[in-house]
Amino acid sequence: MQLETKAIHAGRGVDPFTGAVTIPFHPSTTFERSADGGYPSGHEYIRDANPTRNAFETAMAALEGGHAAVAF
């Protein structure tokens, strides 16, 4: 896959809840908890992990040819 194609497509997908085809920006939010107190989405605190940063990290790893990336 060419670099330009990776830059456009890596880390992107259709949002399963809204159908959005672009990555939503999550500057600050709270996440839903299940009845047992857990976090079914895997996100607990916006500064630890959030969907926007996860997509960015996926894209950076693809562009750099790595397996993972960390953004902070």
Coordinates of all heavy atoms in Angstrom, one line a residue:
M1 N 0.8 -1.2 0.0 CA 0.0 0.0 0.0 C 0.9 1.2 0.0 O 1.9 1.3 0.8 CB -0.9 0.0 1.2 CG -2.0 1.0 1.2 SD -3.1 1.0 2.7 CE -3.8 -0.6 2.6
Q2 N 0.6 2.2 -0.8 CA 1.4 3.4 -0.9 C 1.2 4.3 0.3 O 0.1 4.3 1.0 CB 1.0 4.2 -2.2 CG 1.4 3.5 -3.4 CD 1.1 4.4 -4.7 OE1 0.5 5.4 -4.6 NE2 1.6 3.9 -5.8
L3 N 2.1 5.2 0.6 CA 2.1 6.0 1.8 C 0.8 6.9 1.8 O 0.2 7.1 2.8 CB 3.3 6.9 1.8 CG 3.4 7.9 3.0 CD1 3.5 7.2 4.3 CD2 4.6 8.9 2.8
E4 N 0.5 7.4 0.6 CA -0.7 8.3 0.5 C -2.0 7.5 0.9 O -2.9 8.1 1.5 CB -0.8 8.9 -0.9 CG 0.3 9.8 -1.3 CD 1.5 9.2 -1.8 OE1 1.6 7.9 -1.8 OE2 2.5 9.9 -2.2
T5 N -2.1 6.3 0.4 CA -3.2 5.5 0.8 C -3.3 5.2 2.2 O -4.4 5.3 2.9 CB -3.2 4.2 0.0 OG1 -3.1 4.5 -1.4 CG2 -4.4 3.3 0.2
K6 N -2.1 4.9 2.8 CA -2.1 4.6 4.3 C -2.5 5.9 5.1 O -3.2 5.8 6.0 CB -0.7 4.2 4.7 CG -0.3 2.8 4.3 CD 1.1 2.5 4.8 CE 1.6 1.2 4.3 NZ 2.9 0.9 4.8
A7 N -2.0 7.0 4.6 CA -2.4 8.3 5.3 C -3.9 8.6 5.3 O -4.4 9.1 6.3 CB -1.6 9.4 4.7
I8 N -4.5 8.2 4.3 CA -6.0 8.4 4.2 C -6.8 7.4 5.0 O -7.8 7.7 5.6 CB -6.4 8.4 2.7 CG1 -5.8 9.5 1.9 CG2 -7.9 8.5 2.6 CD1 -6.2 10.9 2.4
H9 N -6.4 6.1 4.9 CA -7.2 5.0 5.4 C -6.8 4.4 6.8 O -7.6 3.9 7.5 CB -7.3 3.9 4.4 CG -7.9 4.3 3.1 ND1 -9.3 4.5 3.1 CD2 -7.4 4.6 1.9 CE1 -9.6 4.8 1.9 NE2 -8.5 4.9 1.1
A10 N -5.6 4.5 7.2 CA -5.1 3.9 8.4 C -5.8 4.5 9.6 O -5.9 5.7 9.8 CB -3.6 4.0 8.6
G11 N -6.3 3.7 10.5 CA -6.9 4.1 11.8 C -8.3 4.6 11.6 O -8.9 5.1 12.6
R12 N -8.9 4.4 10.4 CA -10.2 4.9 10.2 C -11.2 3.7 10.0 O -10.8 2.7 9.5 CB -10.3 5.8 9.0 CG -9.6 7.1 9.2 CD -9.5 8.0 7.9 NE -9.1 9.3 8.1 CZ -7.9 9.7 8.4 NH1 -7.0 8.8 8.5 NH2 -7.6 11.0 8.6
G13 N -12.4 4.0 10.3 CA -13.4 3.0 10.1 C -14.8 3.6 10.4 O -14.9 4.7 10.9
V14 N -15.8 3.0 10.1 CA -17.2 3.5 10.3 C -17.5 3.3 11.8 O -17.3 2.2 12.4 CB -18.2 2.7 9.4 CG1 -19.6 3.2 9.8 CG2 -17.9 2.9 8.0
D15 N -18.0 4.4 12.4 CA -18.4 4.3 13.8 C -19.6 3.4 14.0 O -20.6 3.6 13.3 CB -18.7 5.7 14.3 CG -19.0 5.7 15.8 OD1 -20.0 5.0 16.2 OD2 -18.3 6.4 16.6
P16 N -19.5 2.3 14.8 CA -20.6 1.3 14.8 C -21.8 1.9 15.5 O -22.9 1.4 15.3 CB -20.0 0.2 15.7 CG -18.9 0.8 16.5 CD -18.4 1.9 15.6
F17 N -21.7 3.0 16.2 CA -22.9 3.5 16.9 C -23.6 4.6 16.1 O -24.8 4.7 16.2 CB -22.5 4.1 18.3 CG -21.9 3.0 19.2 CD1 -20.5 3.0 19.4 CD2 -22.6 2.0 19.7 CE1 -19.9 2.1 20.2 CE2 -22.1 1.0 20.5 CZ -20.7 1.1 20.8
T18 N -22.8 5.4 15.4 CA -23.4 6.6 14.7 C -23.4 6.4 13.2 O -24.1 7.1 12.5 CB -22.7 7.9 15.1 OG1 -21.3 7.8 14.6 CG2 -22.7 8.1 16.6
G19 N -22.5 5.6 12.7 CA -22.4 5.4 11.2 C -21.5 6.5 10.7 O -21.3 6.6 9.4
A20 N -20.8 7.3 11.5 CA -19.9 8.3 11.0 C -18.7 7.7 10.3 O -18.2 6.7 10.7 CB -19.4 9.2 12.2
V21 N -18.3 8.3 9.2 CA -17.2 7.8 8.4 C -15.9 8.6 8.7 O -14.9 8.3 8.1 CB -17.5 7.8 6.9 CG1 -18.6 6.8 6.6 CG2 -17.9 9.1 6.4
T22 N -16.0 9.6 9.5 CA -14.8 10.4 9.9 C -14.6 10.2 11.4 O -15.6 9.9 12.1 CB -14.9 11.9 9.6 OG1 -16.0 12.4 10.2 CG2 -15.0 12.1 8.1
I23 N -13.4 10.3 11.8 CA -13.1 10.1 13.2 C -13.7 11.2 14.1 O -13.3 12.4 13.8 CB -11.6 10.0 13.5 CG1 -11.0 8.8 12.6 CG2 -11.2 9.8 14.9 CD1 -9.5 8.9 12.5
P24 N -14.5 10.9 15.1 CA -15.0 12.0 15.9 C -13.9 12.5 16.9 O -13.0 11.7 17.2 CB -16.1 11.3 16.7 CG -15.8 9.9 16.7 CD -15.0 9.6 15.4
F25 N -14.0 13.7 17.2 CA -13.0 14.3 18.1 C -13.6 14.3 19.5 O -14.6 14.8 19.8 CB -12.7 15.8 17.7 CG -11.8 16.5 18.6 CD1 -10.5 16.0 18.8 CD2 -12.2 17.6 19.3 CE1 -9.6 16.7 19.6 CE2 -11.3 18.3 20.1 CZ -10.0 17.8 20.3
H26 N -12.8 13.6 20.4 CA -13.3 13.5 21.8 C -12.3 14.2 22.8 O -11.4 13.7 23.3 CB -13.3 12.0 22.2 CG -14.2 11.1 21.4 ND1 -15.5 11.0 21.7 CD2 -14.0 10.3 20.4 CE1 -16.1 10.2 20.9 NE2 -15.2 9.8 20.0
P27 N -12.5 15.5 22.9 CA -11.6 16.3 23.8 C -11.8 16.0 25.2 O -10.9 16.0 26.0 CB -12.0 17.8 23.5 CG -13.4 17.7 23.0 CD -13.6 16.4 22.3
S28 N -13.0 15.7 25.6 CA -13.3 15.4 27.0 C -14.7 14.7 27.1 O -15.6 15.2 26.5 CB -13.3 16.7 27.9 OG -13.6 16.4 29.2
T29 N -14.8 13.7 27.8 CA -16.0 13.0 28.0 C -16.0 12.0 29.2 O -14.9 11.8 29.7 CB -16.4 12.2 26.7 OG1 -17.8 11.7 26.8 CG2 -15.5 11.1 26.4
T30 N -17.1 11.5 29.6 CA -17.1 10.4 30.5 C -17.6 9.2 29.8 O -18.3 9.3 28.7 CB -18.1 10.7 31.7 OG1 -19.4 11.1 31.2 CG2 -17.6 11.9 32.5
F31 N -17.3 8.0 30.2 CA -17.7 6.8 29.5 C -18.7 6.0 30.3 O -18.6 6.0 31.6 CB -16.4 6.0 29.2 CG -15.5 6.7 28.3 CD1 -14.3 7.3 28.8 CD2 -15.7 6.7 26.9 CE1 -13.5 8.0 27.9 CE2 -14.8 7.4 26.1 CZ -13.7 8.0 26.6
E32 N -19.5 5.3 29.6 CA -20.6 4.5 30.3 C -20.0 3.4 31.0 O -19.0 2.7 30.6 CB -21.5 4.0 29.2 CG -22.6 3.1 29.7 CD -23.5 2.6 28.6 OE1 -23.1 2.5 27.5 OE2 -24.7 2.3 29.0
R33 N -20.6 3.1 32.2 CA -20.2 2.0 33.0 C -21.3 0.9 33.0 O -22.4 1.2 32.9 CB -20.0 2.4 34.5 CG -18.8 3.4 34.6 CD -18.6 3.7 36.0 NE -17.7 2.7 36.6 CZ -17.0 2.9 37.7 NH1 -16.9 4.1 38.2 NH2 -16.2 2.0 38.1
S34 N -20.8 -0.3 33.1 CA -21.8 -1.4 33.1 C -22.3 -1.6 34.6 O -21.8 -1.0 35.5 CB -21.2 -2.7 32.6 OG -20.1 -3.1 33.3
A35 N -23.3 -2.5 34.7 CA -23.8 -2.7 36.1 C -22.8 -3.2 37.1 O -22.9 -2.9 38.3 CB -25.0 -3.7 36.0
D36 N -21.8 -3.9 36.6 CA -20.8 -4.4 37.5 C -19.7 -3.4 37.8 O -18.7 -3.7 38.5 CB -20.1 -5.7 37.0 CG -19.3 -5.5 35.8 OD1 -19.3 -4.4 35.2 OD2 -18.8 -6.5 35.3
G37 N -19.8 -2.2 37.2 CA -18.8 -1.1 37.5 C -17.7 -1.0 36.5 O -16.9 -0.2 36.5
G38 N -17.7 -2.0 35.5 CA -16.6 -2.0 34.5 C -17.0 -1.1 33.4 O -18.0 -0.4 33.3
Y39 N -16.0 -1.0 32.5 CA -16.2 -0.1 31.3 C -16.2 -1.0 30.0 O -15.1 -1.4 29.6 CB -15.0 0.9 31.2 CG -15.0 1.9 32.3 CD1 -14.4 1.7 33.5 CD2 -15.7 3.1 32.2 CE1 -14.4 2.6 34.6 CE2 -15.8 4.0 33.2 CZ -15.1 3.8 34.4 OH -15.1 4.7 35.4
P40 N -17.4 -1.3 29.5 CA -17.5 -2.2 28.4 C -16.8 -1.7 27.1 O -16.3 -2.5 26.3 CB -19.0 -2.3 28.1 CG -19.6 -1.1 28.8 CD -18.7 -0.7 29.9
S41 N -16.6 -0.4 26.9 CA -15.9 0.1 25.7 C -14.4 0.0 25.8 O -13.7 0.2 24.9 CB -16.3 1.6 25.5 OG -15.7 2.4 26.5
G42 N -13.9 -0.2 27.1 CA -12.4 -0.3 27.3 C -11.8 1.1 27.6 O -10.6 1.2 27.8
H43 N -12.7 2.1 27.6 CA -12.2 3.5 27.9 C -12.7 3.9 29.3 O -13.9 3.9 29.5 CB -12.7 4.5 26.9 CG -12.1 4.2 25.5 ND1 -12.8 3.5 24.6 CD2 -10.9 4.5 25.0 CE1 -12.1 3.4 23.5 NE2 -10.9 3.9 23.7
E44 N -11.8 4.3 30.2 CA -12.1 4.6 31.5 C -12.0 6.1 31.7 O -12.8 6.8 32.3 CB -11.3 3.9 32.6 CG -11.4 2.4 32.5 CD -10.5 1.7 33.5 OE1 -10.1 2.4 34.5 OE2 -10.2 0.6 33.3
Y45 N -10.9 6.7 31.3 CA -10.6 8.1 31.6 C -10.0 8.7 30.3 O -9.1 8.1 29.7 CB -9.6 8.1 32.7 CG -9.2 9.5 33.2 CD1 -10.1 10.4 33.6 CD2 -7.8 9.9 33.2 CE1 -9.7 11.7 34.1 CE2 -7.5 11.1 33.6 CZ -8.4 12.0 34.1 OH -8.0 13.3 34.5
I46 N -10.5 9.8 29.9 CA -10.1 10.4 28.6 C -8.6 10.6 28.4 O -8.1 10.6 27.3 CB -11.0 11.7 28.3 CG1 -11.0 12.0 26.8 CG2 -10.5 12.8 29.1 CD1 -11.8 11.1 26.0
R47 N -7.9 10.9 29.5 CA -6.5 11.2 29.4 C -5.7 9.9 29.2 O -4.5 9.9 28.8 CB -6.0 12.0 30.6 CG -6.5 13.4 30.6 CD -6.0 14.2 31.7 NE -6.6 15.6 31.7 CZ -6.4 16.4 32.6 NH1 -5.7 16.2 33.7 NH2 -7.0 17.6 32.5
D48 N -6.2 8.8 29.7 CA -5.5 7.5 29.6 C -5.6 6.9 28.2 O -4.7 6.4 27.6 CB -6.0 6.5 30.6 CG -5.6 6.8 32.0 OD1 -4.7 7.6 32.2 OD2 -6.3 6.3 32.9
A49 N -6.8 7.0 27.6 CA -7.1 6.5 26.3 C -8.4 7.0 25.8 O -9.3 7.3 26.6 CB -7.2 5.0 26.3
N50 N -8.5 7.3 24.5 CA -9.7 7.8 23.9 C -9.8 7.4 22.5 O -8.7 7.1 21.9 CB -10.0 9.2 24.2 CG -9.1 10.1 23.4 OD1 -9.0 10.1 22.2 ND2 -8.3 11.0 24.1
P51 N -11.0 7.3 21.9 CA -11.1 6.8 20.5 C -10.3 7.6 19.5 O -9.8 7.1 18.5 CB -12.6 6.9 20.3 CG -13.2 6.8 21.6 CD -12.3 7.5 22.5
T52 N -10.2 9.0 19.7 CA -9.5 9.8 18.8 C -8.0 9.5 18.8 O -7.4 9.3 17.7 CB -9.8 11.3 19.1 OG1 -11.2 11.6 19.2 CG2 -9.1 12.2 18.1
R53 N -7.5 9.4 20.0 CA -6.0 9.1 20.1 C -5.7 7.7 19.6 O -4.7 7.4 18.9 CB -5.5 9.3 21.5 CG -4.0 9.2 21.5 CD -3.3 9.7 22.8 NE -3.8 9.0 24.0 CZ -4.3 9.6 25.0 NH1 -4.5 10.9 25.1 NH2 -4.7 8.9 26.0
N54 N -6.6 6.7 19.8 CA -6.4 5.4 19.4 C -6.3 5.3 17.8 O -5.5 4.7 17.3 CB -7.5 4.4 19.8 CG -7.5 4.2 21.3 OD1 -6.6 4.6 22.0 ND2 -8.6 3.6 21.8
A55 N -7.2 6.1 17.2 CA -7.2 6.1 15.7 C -5.9 6.8 15.2 O -5.3 6.3 14.2 CB -8.4 6.9 15.2
F56 N -5.4 7.8 15.9 CA -4.2 8.5 15.5 C -3.0 7.6 15.7 O -2.1 7.5 14.8 CB -4.0 9.8 16.4 CG -2.7 10.4 16.1 CD1 -2.5 11.1 14.9 CD2 -1.7 10.4 17.1 CE1 -1.2 11.8 14.7 CE2 -0.5 11.0 16.9 CZ -0.3 11.7 15.7
E57 N -2.9 6.8 16.8 CA -1.9 5.9 17.0 C -1.8 4.8 16.0 O -0.8 4.4 15.5 CB -1.9 5.3 18.4 CG -1.7 6.3 19.5 CD -2.0 5.8 20.9 OE1 -2.7 4.8 21.0 OE2 -1.5 6.4 21.9
T58 N -3.0 4.3 15.6 CA -3.1 3.3 14.5 C -2.6 3.8 13.2 O -1.8 3.1 12.5 CB -4.5 2.8 14.4 OG1 -5.0 2.2 15.6 CG2 -4.7 1.7 13.3
A59 N -2.9 5.0 12.9 CA -2.5 5.7 11.6 C -1.0 5.9 11.7 O -0.3 5.6 10.7 CB -3.2 7.0 11.4
M60 N -0.4 6.4 12.8 CA 1.0 6.6 12.8 C 1.8 5.3 12.7 O 2.8 5.2 12.1 CB 1.4 7.3 14.1 CG 0.9 8.8 14.2 SD 1.8 9.8 13.0 CE 0.8 9.8 11.6
A61 N 1.3 4.3 13.4 CA 2.0 3.0 13.3 C 2.0 2.5 11.8 O 3.1 2.0 11.3 CB 1.3 1.9 14.2
A62 N 0.9 2.6 11.1 CA 0.9 2.2 9.7 C 1.8 3.0 8.8 O 2.5 2.5 8.0 CB -0.6 2.3 9.2
L63 N 1.8 4.3 9.1 CA 2.6 5.2 8.2 C 4.1 5.0 8.5 O 4.9 5.1 7.6 CB 2.3 6.7 8.5 CG 1.0 7.1 8.0 CD1 0.6 8.5 8.5 CD2 0.9 7.1 6.5
E64 N 4.5 4.6 9.7 CA 5.9 4.4 10.0 C 6.3 2.9 9.8 O 7.5 2.6 10.0 CB 6.2 4.8 11.5 CG 6.0 6.3 11.7 CD 7.1 7.1 11.1 OE1 8.2 6.6 10.9 OE2 6.8 8.2 10.7
G65 N 5.4 2.1 9.5 CA 5.7 0.6 9.3 C 5.9 -0.1 10.6 O 6.5 -1.2 10.6
G66 N 5.3 0.4 11.6 CA 5.4 -0.3 12.9 C 4.2 -1.1 13.3 O 3.2 -1.1 12.6
H67 N 4.3 -1.7 14.5 CA 3.2 -2.6 15.0 C 2.3 -1.7 15.9 O 1.1 -2.1 16.0 CB 3.7 -3.8 15.7 CG 4.5 -4.7 14.8 ND1 3.8 -5.5 13.9 CD2 5.8 -4.9 14.7 CE1 4.8 -6.2 13.3 NE2 6.0 -5.9 13.7
A68 N 2.8 -0.7 16.5 CA 2.1 0.1 17.4 C 2.7 1.5 17.5 O 3.9 1.7 17.1 CB 2.0 -0.5 18.8
A69 N 2.0 2.4 18.0 CA 2.5 3.8 18.3 C 1.9 4.3 19.6 O 0.8 3.8 20.0 CB 2.2 4.7 17.1
V70 N 2.6 5.2 20.2 CA 2.1 5.8 21.4 C 2.1 7.3 21.2 O 3.1 7.9 20.9 CB 2.9 5.5 22.7 CG1 2.4 6.2 23.9 CG2 2.9 4.0 22.9
A71 N 0.9 8.0 21.5 CA 0.8 9.4 21.4 C 0.4 9.9 22.8 O -0.3 9.3 23.5 CB -0.3 9.8 20.4
F72 N 0.9 11.1 23.1 CA 0.6 11.7 24.4 C 0.7 13.2 24.3 O 1.2 13.7 23.4 CB 1.5 11.2 25.5 CG 2.9 11.3 25.3 CD1 3.7 12.4 25.7 CD2 3.6 10.3 24.6 CE1 5.0 12.5 25.4 CE2 5.0 10.4 24.3 CZ 5.7 11.5 24.7

